[in-house]
Amino acid sequence: MTFALLAVVYGLTTYTPALALGAVLLVVFWLVEKRAANPLVPVGVLRRRSVTVGNVAGLLAFATETSLVFVLTIYLQRDLGYTPLGAGLSFAVLGVGTVLGGIVAPRVIA
């Protein structure tokens, strides 16, 4: 599973055939887990609406925060004259917000 995800991410970032390898490995993992007596990840869990919504929300949050950090880093350094260290440290607020959101969100959801 770890190698499959690594191959997918590497393939997405380098536009190499590793993406296809990662996809094949994920399918193999899914088939093995589907037939295992005691699977690491019960495949049926992924069919739950709450899990699907949570996965989509997590994907959107990750995609927006990652792109935000990339664009803001360029803006802070090129347009506002921040040093690389200063630009990096300015994102500490986002990190704190992410940690606090991870702590508060389960309580709000419950």
Side-chain angles (χ1 to χ4, degrees), residues 1-2 5 26 28-48 51 55:
M1 177 71 168
T2 302
L5 292 175
L26 285 173
V28 169
F29 176 78
W30 180 71
L31 291 172
V32 168
E33 290 297 297
K34 190 175 178 182
R35 294 190 176 131
N38 296 313
L40 294 172
V41 180
V43 178
V45 168
L46 300 175
R47 292 189 187 109
R48 292 183 186 169
V51 173
N55 284 337

Side-chain angles (χ1 to χ4, degrees), residues 42-81:
V43 178
V45 168
L46 300 175
R47 292 189 187 109
R48 292 183 186 169
R49 180 166 160 62
S50 60
V51 173
T52 302
V53 170
N55 284 337
V56 170
L59 177 66
L60 289 174
F62 176 75
T64 54
E65 188 169 333
T66 303
S67 58
L68 170 77
V69 169
F70 176 73
V71 172
L72 279 178
T73 300
I74 293 171
Y75 173 71
L76 289 172
Q77 290 182 36
R78 186 174 22 172
D79 296 339
L80 298 183

